[in-house]
Amino acid sequence: MTLRTHRIAIAPSGFKESLSAARVAEAIAVGVRRVIPDADLDLIPLVDGGEGTAEALALAGGGRLVPVTATGPVGEPVASHFALLGGPGPLTAVVEMAAVAGLALVPPGLRHPGATTTYGVGELIRAALDAGARRILIGCGDSGTSDGGAGALQALGARLTDRHGRELRRGGGVLHELERVDPSGLDPRLARTELLVACNPYNVLCGKRGVARVFGPQKGATPAEVELLSAGLERLADVLTRDLAPASGAPAIDLRTAPGTGASGGLGAGLAAVGARLLPRYDVLLDGLDLDARLARADFVITAEGALDHQTVRGKIPAEVARRAHASGVPVLVLAGTIGPGAQDVRAVGVDAYSAILPAPMTLVEAIDRSDEFLADATERAMRIMALGTRLAPLAAA
């Protein structure tokens, strides 16, 4: 059994709380080689700013991870890290918000986005400044927070106070009480440092598609809590615009609706208020990978993500890979842990076929524990079906 397709690009994202993008790519490669042992495989593990971003960019850029103990999303210390990259130019650090405020760090029983904080993100930024970084890339994704970056601003020296002048508690649930932001204590090194936020431009802070309404329920918010968080983020945007953005010299953008302001529970808006530039994540994170050329050289592309659904087309890695491969006429298969409502929409961005990897109903724990095995097996099944198709094609044409 042979396939006429031998040059295969494998360009997946990681499976959240399960496999890194590199391990996903390796598992897919195992499945391909069971069917085509001599396949010419190009493994291109991709990150979207979430889990694994700092490590992936450190490996790609000849850098290293720097361990840091910082404040986790529920207020307890966690073992975290940032990356220092190699290469010419100013020393560049990568701060991965998921490494200190990600949903995976929030125990299931404590998933209350009104209480979780990005304080540790600010601590990582300060640690990067202490290490001499003058260019800091903040990767947004997989967050367990909805505080609009208020915690990060507090860690960087800003004071957020209520109408009585009292410092606000941490978490998005109290932002509706915000009266003033005092920027006088902000770390002065921020003004001399280039801050770049790699974010999903589809995510905005406020409005009907505001981040609390779209992602709050996934992080554990009830409908009433969603509305409280939304009101708090509206208030935060107003106060930041009035008190902080002018003092920082940040460009005048609408913190409520500008693309990317809703990234990571609104972290994008908080950092934009101190001068950070919000950039489409793939413009930043795929720089240096030569992805378009590598996809164009392939006969076939396999990509993957944990859940394929209506959100995939809104800036997820499989949609980005499919869009780029489609421009070169290269067919794309998506493998997913689960298939949800709206998955069919991915055909509009260039996906030719998609398939779930689970062979039977099972617990989430078992699915996570055996995900590399299921990926390899699902890939093998897909490749054997393709091989059968190539044998039937001449008969159909006859």
Side-chain angles (χ1 to χ4, degrees):
M1 180 186 300
T2 61
L3 280 175
R4 290 176 291 183
T5 298
H6 289 275
R7 295 187 304 275
I8 302 174
I10 301 174
S13 70
F15 280 26
K16 311 307 181 188
E17 302 184 56
S18 177
L19 298 176
S20 68
R23 286 186 61 192
V24 172
E26 291 162 2
I28 292 172
V30 168
V32 170
R33 288 200 169 101
R34 290 176 185 170
V35 183
I36 316 174
D38 61 347
D40 179 6
L41 303 183
D42 185 8
L43 274 60
I44 320 170
L46 300 175
V47 291
D48 61 3
E51 294 175 10
T53 293
E55 181 179 12
L57 295 187
L59 290 172
R64 61 186 176 90
L65 288 181
V66 179
V68 178
T69 298
T71 303
V74 298
E76 298 294 328
V78 297
S80 188
H81 58 261
F82 65 92
L84 290 175
L85 305 185
L91 182 62
T92 297
V94 179
V95 169
E96 172 192 320
M97 84 84 60
V100 71
L103 187 60
L105 297 175
V106 184
L110 297 177
R111 292 193 171 177
H112 305 297
T116 50
T117 179
T118 56
Y119 196 89
V121 178
E123 292 178 319
L124 291 188
I125 292 173
R126 293 190 80 149
L129 292 170
D130 291 342
R134 290 299 173 263
R135 183 175 184 264
I136 301 177
L137 170 62
I138 299 100
C140 288
D142 304 329
S143 71
T145 58
S146 191
D147 72 351
L153 294 176
Q154 289 172 314
L156 291 168
R159 290 191 71 239
L160 281 67
T161 56
D162 63 17
R163 62 189 180 91
H164 301 293
R166 297 175 300 205
E167 186 82 18
L168 284 189
R169 302 187 309 278
R170 297 174 192 169
V174 296
L175 290 177
H176 64 283
E177 301 175 9
L178 179 64
E179 182 65 27
R180 183 169 182 265
V181 176
D182 178 2
S184 62
L186 278 171
D187 193 314
R189 295 173 295 181
L190 293 171
R192 305 188 299 271
T193 304
E194 184 180 19
L195 299 177
L196 306 175
V197 180
C199 54
N200 187 341
Y202 287 101
N203 294 342
V204 298
L205 188 67
C206 303
K208 292 182 179 179
R209 296 292 301 174
V211 66
R213 291 191 169 91
V214 174
F215 296 106
Q218 297 178 13
K219 299 173 184 180
T222 65
E225 289 168 338
V226 165
E227 294 309 310
L228 182 67
L229 289 170
S230 296
L233 293 175
E234 294 268 3
R235 179 62 182 164
L236 178 67
D238 291 342
V239 177
L240 288 179
T241 300
R242 184 194 68 201
D243 294 350
L244 207 160
S248 71
I253 68 168
D254 186 342
L255 295 181
R256 298 175 69 260
T257 60
T261 51
S264 290
L267 177 64
L271 294 177
V274 292
R277 294 163 56 203
L278 307 184
L279 301 173
R281 54 187 170 184
Y282 299 121
D283 290 355
V284 180
L285 299 174
L286 303 185
D287 186 35
L289 289 179
D290 198 22
L291 180 61
D292 289 336
R294 292 167 74 176
L295 296 177
R297 285 194 295 268
D299 299 305
F300 177 51
V301 173
I302 303 176
T303 183
E305 72 170 334
L308 192 74
D309 55 28
H310 67 280
Q311 292 187 22
T312 301
V313 295
R314 296 179 62 83
K316 296 293 185 72
I317 280 176
E320 182 69 12
V321 169
R323 182 181 65 79
R324 292 169 181 250
H326 183 72
S328 298
V330 181
V332 176
L333 167 69
V334 179
L335 299 174
T338 61
I339 304 294
Q344 67 277 4
D345 296 345
V346 297
R347 295 193 181 99
V349 295
V351 171
D352 295 277
Y354 57 84
S355 178
I357 68 169
L358 297 183
M362 64 187 65
T363 66
L364 177 61
V365 171
E366 183 180 3
I368 290 175
D369 288 344
R370 300 176 62 188
S371 52
D372 51 353
E373 171 193 343
F374 294 148
L375 262 170
D377 291 347
T379 304
E380 179 183 358
R381 290 194 298 271
M383 299 306 294
R384 293 195 183 281
I385 290 171
M386 290 177 60
L388 175 63
T390 61
R391 294 174 62 185
L392 293 176
L395 298 177

